Amino acid sequence: MEISKIEAAIEAVLFSIGDAVHINKLCEVLGQDKKTTKRIISNMCDRYEEENRGIKIVVLEECYQLCTKPAYYEYVKQISHKTREFSLTDVLVETLSIIAYKQPITKLHIEEIRGVNSNHAVNKLIEYQLVSEVGRLNAPGRPVLFGTSQDFLRCFGLESVEQLPFLEESQLSMLKNEVLEEVQLKLAD
Amino acid sequence: MEISKIEAAIEAVLFSIGDAVHINKLCEVLGQDKKTTKRIISNMCDRYEEENRGIKIVVLEECYQLCTKPAYYEYVKQISHKTREFSLTDVLVETLSIIAYKQPITKLHIEEIRGVNSNHAVNKLIEYQLVSEVGRLNAPGRPVLFGTSQDFLRCFGLESVEQLPFLEESQLSMLKNEVLEEVQLKLAD
Amino acid sequence: MSIPVKIKVFEGPLDLLLHLIDKNKLNIYDIPIAEVTDQYLAYIHQMESDKMEVMSEFIEMAAILINIKSKMLLPVDEEEEEEETGDPRQLLMDKLIEYRKFKLMASQLKELQGDALRVIYKDSTIPEEISSFLPVADPEKLLNEVDFSKLYSVFKSVMKKKTDKIDPIRSKFGEIKKEEFTVEDKMNEIKILCNRYESFSFKDLLEEQQGKVAVIVTFLAILELMKMGLIQILQEALFDDILIKFIGRNNYGN
């Protein structure tokens, strides 16, 4: 099959499915190997970047999905009912970041880190479909383990959890020093 | 606004709606007059015709809608449908053989021969287009008579049911004798 | 001194502590415990009673602080210090650092959100021709697995099985009619048993019966005799055997 036809087929599939489609599924349908398919999609991504295109391909883990470009949000907002303008409170972002970095994690562990009951925050995140149950810990009571969802990646423009911003070693030691310094200062008084 | 940006905005809007959008609505969102908008969309339509595009704009009266190009339906079909496994299990082969050699035959008769309920097997064979209803028995309840399908015959290169290599009467009595002999042998033990 | 804090501002005691350290130049080792406690108590008064659960977390933290403070006031016993598994101050420090780490990460995460939320995905719009499509089996492909010889041999074996089921000897005996029982017959049988035994097992009686009909008729006979007040049904414990006991022995017999 010609490259242009493969591209068209990928666009057609992603368009009509709407949801994220796994690379393996695309390979299977197109009869292409993974490497080729990835290369073709990467080329397509470049083309979607052109000025006169209003949509683009997002990569989520090994899945691909079509979406509108953020630049045209204002137009889309006027007409679409699907704009989700839920804003996450600091509490929710804080809880979400703990889940994102520590997943899979139990509610108890979240509460240990935050030092406060986190029922409400976790439930809200589940409601927003940013977090979901991913299993159970093999411990007494078999507590539920939470992890982030594909929607979480979408909402934060991440390809995978590995792309989460990590604190630099320097930032970490600065943090430690800050706390320690304060202690030292006081002790010196 | 530059033409390329308007094009992109139209694509983004049509994409996010998925459904048909009226020209007036588009004009309103884009802040363009009808004539300009129509001209731009017409240009876009030409571009969607290009080989490497899998989607196109369809015009319905004064409405516009993005949709998949029919040429790529096959891929969408393959990806959106769960692959179904078709296979002839032993039960199906057994039921098929009874229908093939005893046709036309009622379900009741099949069940008598097999000694078990054969609803599922018969339905599966019908679904697989190997068996079909061929008439009704002139008996109370007018039960359906089943026979092998045209497809079945075609697959075996037969022109009619009569050509099926039926069991000769002599073969049948031989079969009976075989059974009787075995029983005698067992009783003699 | 009163620190103008609203309960809503702080998610929890750790958050409050961080606030105290950051904004008020307080040191976690030198928090004016008395004042903090006063503040906590002030919160409790402001809080609705159903928020007590949340409040208790603040109080717990106050208790930890008081504990640290009191330990710091006491003379340090070197040996005892070594024995202790962990310095409570260190634990609190670690907790605070970890918590602050996530606060920082959260702020970074929040920055990512900006553009990502301005993106719209599309619902699936699978063309009607496709959504209504059901894959069909290919008869040719299916029949590749079987040929006539297989079909024939299967058929032969099925028919043979069927013939096997018919016992060639007994099938010639003709039909044997099942004996029919009446409730009266069974009642008499039971009465005879009652003459012989003071009581006997319900289970044994039913097990003796040949066939479903006999069991049902026997059961009906027992019910009838009970109604007549001639027998009594006894069961010592749940799931124990049921005993049938004759209570009208003198009037019946023969």
Side-chain angles (χ1 to χ4, degrees):
Chain A
M1 193 155 64
E2 295 160 45
I3 298 280
S4 63
K5 287 266 165 67
I6 298 176
E7 289 186 347
I10 291 172
E11 188 177 56
V13 165
L14 292 184
F15 175 85
S16 56
I17 300 292
D19 210 346
V21 179
H22 198 277
I23 177 86
N24 291 351
K25 196 88 191 161
L26 284 173
C27 292
E28 187 192 316
V29 168
L30 298 165
Q32 303 292 326
D33 62 56
K34 211 160 160 173
K35 210 178 136 195
T36 315
T37 312
K38 278 194 171 176
R39 210 189 52 236
I40 293 173
I41 293 176
S42 158
N43 281 339
M44 289 173 74
C45 286
D46 291 344
R47 211 119 19 78
Y48 279 118
E49 285 308 316
E50 278 172 27
E51 278 226 308
N52 62 354
R53 302 305 310 268
I55 54 175
K56 62 169 185 174
I57 293 178
V58 283
V59 188
L60 300 152
E61 280 155 346
E62 289 210 287
C63 298
Y64 299 95
Q65 187 169 11
L66 277 178
C67 70
T68 60
K69 286 184 183 171
Y72 301 102
Y73 180 70
E74 291 309 320
Y75 302 103
V76 174
K77 200 174 77 175
Q78 289 178 56
I79 200 166
S80 172
H81 309 289
K82 278 185 307 205
T83 50
R84 5 152 230 182
E85 287 200 26
F86 64 83
S87 66
L88 295 176
T89 62
D90 288 346
V91 172
L92 291 188
V93 178
E94 181 184 305
T95 311
L96 186 59
S97 72
I98 292 170
I99 295 173
Y101 286 99
K102 290 275 189 180
Q103 62 187 316
I105 185 173
T106 64
K107 205 180 282 178
L108 192 74
H109 196 172
I110 298 169
E111 289 175 354
E112 258 171 39
I113 293 173
R114 297 190 58 225
V116 67
N117 181 302
S118 303
N119 247 326
H120 180 73
V122 172
N123 287 344
K124 258 278 173 291
L125 290 172
I126 291 171
E127 190 191 315
Y128 287 162
Q129 298 183 17
L130 297 171
V131 160
S132 60
E133 296 187 11
V134 294
R136 280 171 185 277
L137 189 67
N138 208 357
R142 297 187 50 74
V144 174
L145 288 164
F146 296 94
T148 52
S149 65
Q150 215 175 46
D151 254 341
F152 162 78
L153 297 177
R154 269 187 213 111
C155 285
F156 289 90
L158 299 166
E159 275 187 30
S160 71
V161 188
E162 278 80 51
Q163 279 197 340
L164 277 171
F166 267 96
L167 290 185
E168 301 282 321
E169 202 47 56
S170 58
Q171 281 178 297
L172 264 178
S173 56
M174 223 173 69
L175 202 78
K176 260 180 212 159
N177 287 336
E178 261 176 37
V179 179
L180 281 170
E181 240 171 65
E182 278 163 21
V183 177
Q184 297 304 327
L185 275 174
K186 272 294 156 187
L187 287 178
D189 281 348
Chain B
M1 191 156 64
E2 293 161 46
I3 299 280
S4 63
K5 288 266 164 69
I6 298 176
E7 289 186 347
I10 292 172
E11 188 176 55
V13 166
L14 291 183
F15 174 86
S16 67
I17 299 294
D19 214 344
V21 179
H22 197 275
I23 177 84
N24 293 349
K25 191 81 196 163
L26 281 175
C27 292
E28 185 192 318
V29 169
L30 300 164
Q32 303 292 325
D33 63 57
K34 210 160 161 174
K35 208 178 140 197
T36 316
T37 311
K38 276 193 171 177
R39 209 190 52 236
I40 293 173
I41 294 177
S42 160
N43 281 338
M44 287 174 73
C45 286
D46 292 344
R47 212 123 11 84
Y48 278 118
E49 285 308 316
E50 277 171 27
E51 278 224 310
N52 63 352
R53 303 305 311 268
I55 54 176
K56 62 171 186 176
I57 293 178
V58 283
V59 188
L60 307 145
E61 283 164 350
E62 290 211 288
C63 295
Y64 300 95
Q65 183 173 1
L66 271 182
C67 72
T68 326
K69 286 187 186 169
Y72 301 103
Y73 278 4
E74 195 49 45
Y75 302 101
V76 180
K77 193 156 81 184
Q78 282 180 50
I79 223 160
S80 54
H81 286 289
K82 291 198 175 78
T83 45
R84 289 170 72 198
E85 282 294 320
F86 302 106
S87 71
L88 282 180
T89 60
D90 289 348
V91 170
L92 292 187
V93 172
E94 182 182 303
T95 312
L96 182 62
S97 76
I98 294 167
I99 295 173
Y101 286 102
K102 287 280 191 179
Q103 64 186 310
I105 184 172
T106 63
K107 206 180 282 178
L108 192 75
H109 195 174
I110 298 168
E111 288 174 356
E112 258 174 40
I113 293 171
R114 294 190 57 222
V116 286
N117 182 303
S118 303
N119 244 325
H120 180 75
V122 172
N123 289 343
K124 260 273 173 297
L125 290 171
I126 292 171
E127 190 197 316
Y128 288 176
Q129 302 178 45
L130 296 170
V131 161
S132 58
E133 295 187 10
V134 293
R136 280 175 184 275
L137 189 66
N138 207 358
R142 296 187 48 75
V144 174
L145 286 163
F146 296 94
T148 50
S149 69
Q150 287 296 317
D151 273 326
F152 174 88
L153 293 175
R154 209 177 303 123
C155 289
F156 284 123
L158 302 170
E159 273 164 30
S160 73
V161 184
E162 280 73 45
Q163 285 190 333
L164 259 175
F166 271 107
L167 284 180
E168 300 288 321
E169 203 45 54
S170 60
Q171 284 176 298
L172 262 176
S173 57
M174 221 172 70
L175 199 71
K176 248 182 223 161
N177 286 336
E178 265 175 39
V179 176
L180 280 171
E181 250 168 57
E182 265 174 48
V183 173
Q184 295 303 331
L185 277 172
K186 265 188 213 156
L187 288 177
D189 279 348
Chain C
M1 172 180 125
S2 80
I3 299 168
V5 277
K6 280 184 188 153
I7 291 150
K8 273 183 194 162
V9 176
F10 300 109
E11 246 308 287
L14 283 174
D15 207 16
L16 174 59
L17 266 182
L18 272 183
H19 178 80
L20 293 172
I21 291 163
D22 288 344
K23 306 288 177 205
N24 302 312
K25 309 290 177 216
L26 289 177
N27 188 287
I28 56 162
Y29 292 146
D30 198 24
I31 292 167
I33 297 296
E35 279 177 34
V36 170
T37 311
D38 280 348
Q39 286 163 28
Y40 279 139
L41 289 173
Y43 292 149
I44 294 173
H45 289 304
Q46 285 175 40
M47 277 181 146
E48 291 153 33
S49 54
D50 63 341
K51 295 266 175 69
M52 278 310 287
E53 199 190 322
V54 176
M55 207 55 243
S56 66
E57 285 161 349
F58 282 84
I59 294 171
E60 188 194 340
M61 182 54 72
I64 292 170
L65 293 173
I66 293 167
N67 186 31
I68 295 169
K69 183 85 180 174
S70 61
K71 274 192 179 165
M72 286 173 74
L73 291 173
L74 291 170
V76 182
D77 183 335
E78 292 293 331
E79 272 178 39
E80 206 176 285
E81 181 109 313
E82 270 173 36
E83 276 172 27
E84 275 188 22
T85 43
D87 183 345
R89 292 173 300 179
Q90 191 57 49
L91 284 175
L92 191 62
M93 280 264 290
D94 290 346
K95 252 185 144 176
L96 273 171
I97 291 170
E98 177 89 343
Y99 181 66
R100 192 183 266 198
K101 199 171 90 189
F102 280 110
K103 281 220 111 155
L104 215 64
M105 283 172 160
S107 68
Q108 290 187 356
L109 200 60
K110 203 158 188 181
E111 277 169 30
L112 291 176
Q113 214 188 345
D115 263 6
L117 273 182
R118 296 165 65 85
V119 151
I120 307 295
Y121 295 88
K122 189 181 140 292
D123 288 338
S124 136
T125 44
I126 293 169
E128 170 67 24
E129 300 93 299
I130 290 169
S131 56
S132 60
F133 170 85
L134 265 176
V136 226
D138 179 1
E140 199 164 338
K141 225 166 148 189
L142 282 168
L143 289 177
N144 271 342
E145 300 165 29
V146 283
D147 54 15
F148 267 122
S149 65
K150 166 124 188 243
L151 217 52
Y152 181 60
S153 72
V154 168
F155 177 68
K156 242 185 1 186
S157 70
V158 172
M159 296 311 283
K160 186 166 171 282
K161 246 194 281 173
K162 199 199 169 213
T163 324
D164 273 350
K165 272 187 206 143
I166 303 163
D167 187 326
I169 309 280
R170 285 195 195 169
S171 63
K172 288 176 190 146
F173 286 174
E175 224 172 306
I176 299 164
K177 275 230 167 185
K178 262 187 199 149
E179 264 183 76
E180 286 196 10
F181 310 97
T182 65
V183 178
E184 257 94 87
D185 288 345
K186 283 292 167 193
M187 276 166 71
N188 282 330
E189 272 182 48
I190 294 169
K191 281 182 205 163
I192 291 165
L193 280 171
C194 287
N195 259 344
R196 224 173 280 164
Y197 308 105
E198 198 180 342
S199 68
F200 51 92
S201 161
F202 172 72
K203 193 173 137 231
D204 289 348
L205 178 67
L206 289 192
E207 276 175 357
E208 269 172 33
Q209 305 306 319
Q210 306 260 326
K212 217 187 277 177
V213 178
V215 170
I216 293 165
V217 173
T218 308
F219 191 66
L220 288 173
I222 291 168
L223 292 178
E224 189 60 29
L225 288 168
M226 276 171 74
K227 201 178 89 186
M228 290 164 71
L230 298 179
I231 58 167
Q232 203 180 13
I233 300 296
L234 296 169
Q235 189 180 30
E236 295 280 345
L238 200 62
F239 304 123
D240 255 11
D241 200 352
I242 295 165
L243 288 178
I244 298 169
K245 199 174 174 208
F246 190 55
I247 49 172
R249 178 186 280 268
N250 292 334
N251 302 330
Y252 288 86
N254 310 330

